[in-house]
Amino acid sequence: MSQFRGPLAIAAVSLTVPLVATVTHSEPSARSAPPAATPAGPAAQPKQAAPQAPTAPQAKPSAKPSAKPGPTKTPSAVPSVRDYDAASGPGWKPQPSTRVVVAPGDSRALGDEGKLLAQELKRGYSAAGSGRAGDIELALAPGGAPESYTLTVRDGRVRVTGADQAGVFYGTRTVKQALAADGRLSEGVVRDRPAKPQRGVMLDTARKHFTADWIEDTVREMGDLKLNQLGLHFSDDQGFRIESDSHPEIVSEQHLTKAEVRRIVKLAESRHITVIPEIDSPGHLGAVMDAHPDLQLRDTRGVATPGAVDIANPKSARIVDELLSEYADVFPGKYVHLGGDEYAALLKRNPEVSYPGLAREAVRKYGPNAKVQDLATGWLNDRAAALRPHGKVLKAWNDGLHSGGVVKADQDREVEYWTGKEIGARQPQEYLSEGRKVVNANDEYLYYVLGEPNTFTYPTGRRIYESWTPQVLRGTTPVPARYADQILGGRLAIWCDLANAQTQEQVARGIHLPMRALAQKTWDAGTPALDWEGFKALAQRTG
């Protein structure tokens, strides 16, 4: 997306009750705390992806809490819970004897969720135990919507049930945040579920190297916010930032090792977050061509076209396919992002005149009516074909799917819609009317571009919270409601056009509230119950 983001520009938890500490091995954070954050924020969280179970405290069970009704309050959480049925009763707060207990038969499935919550609350953990007064019980209850959960406070205990492991995990995030903010849970039942299945963040690590520790802190923060996807854009003109065995010559000096990536992926999996790799092609391959200048696209005058690979050269396809295959196993999640945006040849007024070699190859491969855009569409289709044996679901930027032409983009490719400002931009409805599934990355609201080049300004949580919804795909106008089910969710995109404009810590602070606003609006796409100031205060209390 270099028109607006690169060189091709064109025009542990704080509670209000005493705790019995049973674990002391949390590690320091690499991130500075966001403004006004409580100690429950990501910087205070432990490093372990799959923590060891803390030893259960030896204190005797406390007496059953009094049945005297306590104050009723919707559990404090970001995103806000969608449905809360209050009940009369004392509510619940942790006692010295409180444990996190997993229901019999669910210990293998929910052990990580239980151990993590026990560690965060500094409480004991019991696998396949039976709950008692004061405990938090976790259990699976299949049959509900994916990622949904029910949180019940009754009889002096808390019970979290989920349709799947992710649902149970999200229920524990609500417990954690509510205790951080209020120190207790009111009597009653929470029923909660996400509006959209894809809720996430995309990080440009190609232009700016982010350390593994910083990315892990972001993963922990995302997990607490019930976000479930992290995109890593690690290849572009300015850098290639992950170790490669097949092509070590293209890797930048500052990069993540595969061991670091696997650690990030493992941590993300423990938080029910899928890490999505992106090797952007056929544009934005400058770092690859620095080591392979023979792949550079040149115009009719022989002038090199920055970032663009020569898609008429079979060697170009071969090296990209080798890289895609190499990382398919490093990133075991179901998604791969193919990029496809801003191929510089298609930004010319007459690509066939400017690049006659591409024009000849298009005709040879696809027939006499084919043009350069057909060759570019076929390029992405071929990259998708190379990945299909790995069972991946494929994504591409909206300007990588062209209108008209003799070659059509694969129908099963998800469209990430980022802008309508580029040459030949298609309206979102065009993709939706074709039956395509779309993810919202609207650059008007969701692009955090370092240094604010061109027309960009840093997004604010308030603007996202008050005027953006997943249906606002382009500009500020929502698409018709009939397309709502085709819009899979949204993503906050962190682009590093001017890499030195902010430090890692400044980026963390800058995305703090936008991430929370995005989490709210993708979890519940309706009008929020709280005004912005109320939501901002809630975000500060919950970390």
Side-chain angles (χ1 to χ4, degrees):
M1 273 155 243
S2 57
Q3 176 181 352
F4 301 101
R5 61 173 176 79
L8 295 179
I10 59 169
V13 183
S14 175
L15 301 178
T16 60
V17 296
L19 298 177
V20 177
T22 58
V23 288
T24 59
H25 49 277
S26 61
E27 298 176 21
S29 168
R31 166 174 300 179
S32 62
T38 69
Q45 297 175 14
K47 284 281 185 187
Q48 288 75 14
Q52 297 298 313
T55 304
Q58 300 302 310
K60 295 180 180 180
S62 60
K64 185 175 180 179
S66 166
K68 180 180 178 181
T72 298
K73 183 181 185 299
T74 302
S76 298
V78 175
S80 301
V81 301
R82 298 184 66 179
D83 183 37
Y84 168 58
D85 292 332
S88 178
W92 178 93
K93 60 183 179 181
Q95 305 296 318
S97 60
T98 291
R99 304 170 301 164
V100 178
V101 177
V102 174
D106 291 337
S107 59
R108 177 172 294 182
L110 299 180
D112 286 347
E113 286 75 17
K115 292 171 187 175
L116 176 62
L117 184 62
Q119 183 181 33
E120 291 169 329
L121 301 186
K122 299 182 174 64
R123 289 296 187 269
Y125 168 77
S126 177
S130 58
R132 65 193 183 199
D135 285 349
I136 304 171
E137 305 173 44
L138 309 182
L140 290 172
E147 301 183 294
S148 65
Y149 70 92
T150 300
L151 192 163
T152 304
V153 180
R154 182 184 300 145
D155 299 329
R157 68 192 69 188
V158 176
R159 183 171 175 82
V160 177
T161 61
D164 48 28
Q165 294 175 46
V168 173
F169 174 71
Y170 295 146
T172 68
R173 300 305 86 191
T174 296
V175 170
K176 176 187 174 183
Q177 290 192 46
L179 292 179
D182 308 320
R184 66 185 302 276
L185 289 164
S186 296
E187 201 89 359
V189 180
V190 169
R191 295 178 180 86
D192 209 7
R193 68 195 183 282
K196 297 297 180 181
Q198 296 190 32
R199 311 173 302 278
V201 172
M202 192 233 72
L203 180 65
D204 172 13
T205 64
R207 292 178 178 84
K208 181 182 182 67
H209 174 64
F210 288 84
T211 65
D213 284 347
W214 191 94
I215 297 172
E216 288 176 330
D217 281 342
T218 301
V219 165
R220 294 186 182 90
E221 188 175 2
M222 290 173 62
D224 283 354
L225 297 173
K226 304 181 176 76
L227 299 173
N228 65 1
Q229 290 184 345
L230 172 63
L232 289 183
H233 177 93
F234 64 90
S235 169
D236 213 300
D237 298 339
Q238 294 81 358
F240 193 98
R241 302 289 182 181
I242 295 180
E243 174 187 1
S244 172
D245 298 319
S246 65
H247 290 282
E249 72 281 1
I250 69 174
V251 179
S252 301
E253 182 178 356
Q254 284 189 311
H255 64 272
L256 297 172
T257 67
K258 284 187 176 179
E260 287 175 320
V261 172
R262 291 189 174 100
R263 195 178 78 203
I264 291 166
V265 169
K266 183 177 180 181
L267 175 67
E269 289 174 341
S270 76
R271 267 62 172 180
H272 301 277
I273 295 169
T274 300
V275 183
I276 303 173
E278 180 190 353
I279 298 177
D280 198 350
S281 76
H284 299 288
L285 280 175
V288 172
M289 289 183 292
D290 284 346
H292 296 274
D294 55 314
L295 305 184
Q296 180 82 55
L297 177 66
R298 297 181 180 275
D299 66 15
T300 188
R301 300 169 298 163
V303 177
T305 304
V309 72
D310 182 358
I311 56 177
N313 184 342
K315 186 179 175 183
S316 300
R318 187 162 55 251
I319 191 171
V320 173
D321 285 348
E322 288 168 354
L323 291 168
L324 289 170
S325 296
E326 176 179 1
Y327 294 107
D329 295 330
V330 179
F331 296 92
K334 64 186 289 188
Y335 297 99
V336 170
H337 203 304
L338 296 173
D341 63 298
E342 294 181 330
Y343 187 49
L346 298 178
L347 301 180
K348 298 293 186 180
R349 187 177 301 276
N350 192 328
E352 287 69 39
V353 171
S354 296
Y355 300 97
L358 297 184
R360 287 192 298 270
E361 179 63 12
V363 169
R364 185 196 71 78
K365 193 168 184 179
Y366 298 114
N369 295 323
K371 296 185 176 182
V372 173
Q373 77 164 47
D374 296 299
L375 195 63
T377 299
W379 167 276
L380 283 189
N381 287 349
D382 291 345
R383 307 293 73 74
L387 278 171
R388 291 198 195 285
H390 296 278
K392 303 294 186 179
V393 175
L394 303 172
K395 295 174 172 288
W397 299 110
N398 63 286
D399 50 331
L401 287 82
H402 311 290
S403 61
V406 299
V407 181
K408 305 299 181 185
D410 296 332
Q411 184 63 31
D412 61 352
R413 192 175 308 149
E414 293 181 3
V415 179
E416 302 231 347
Y417 199 97
W418 70 282
T419 190
K421 301 185 182 84
E422 76 281 3
I423 293 174
R426 301 172 65 191
Q427 293 286 340
Q429 288 92 319
E430 292 187 45
Y431 304 95
L432 295 166
S433 65
E434 293 172 0
R436 295 187 182 277
K437 295 178 179 179
V438 177
V439 174
N440 192 321
N442 186 340
D443 66 344
E444 180 76 19
Y445 291 91
L446 304 178
Y447 262 37
Y448 191 96
V449 185
L450 267 60
E452 300 182 303
N454 300 296
T455 60
F456 284 116
T457 58
Y458 290 125
T460 67
R462 181 170 194 158
R463 189 159 185 255
I464 296 168
Y465 187 79
E466 292 184 338
S467 60
W468 178 85
T469 74
Q471 287 175 225
V472 182
L473 285 164
R474 173 175 175 166
T476 60
T477 304
V479 298
R482 65 180 180 273
Y483 294 123
D485 290 344
Q486 287 174 242
I487 301 170
L488 300 178
R491 191 150 8 266
L492 179 70
I494 304 160
W495 295 108
C496 301
D497 291 43
L498 302 176
N500 295 323
Q502 289 191 340
T503 64
Q504 292 186 140
E505 291 73 19
Q506 288 172 321
V507 173
R509 290 194 294 270
I511 65 175
H512 181 76
L513 286 174
M515 278 178 61
R516 281 149 180 78
L518 176 80
Q520 177 64 43
K521 299 302 284 288
T522 52
W523 188 264
D524 185 349
T527 301
L530 296 173
D531 64 14
W532 169 247
E533 291 302 325
F535 180 79
K536 183 178 177 181
L538 173 66
Q540 291 172 339
R541 294 199 313 273
T542 59

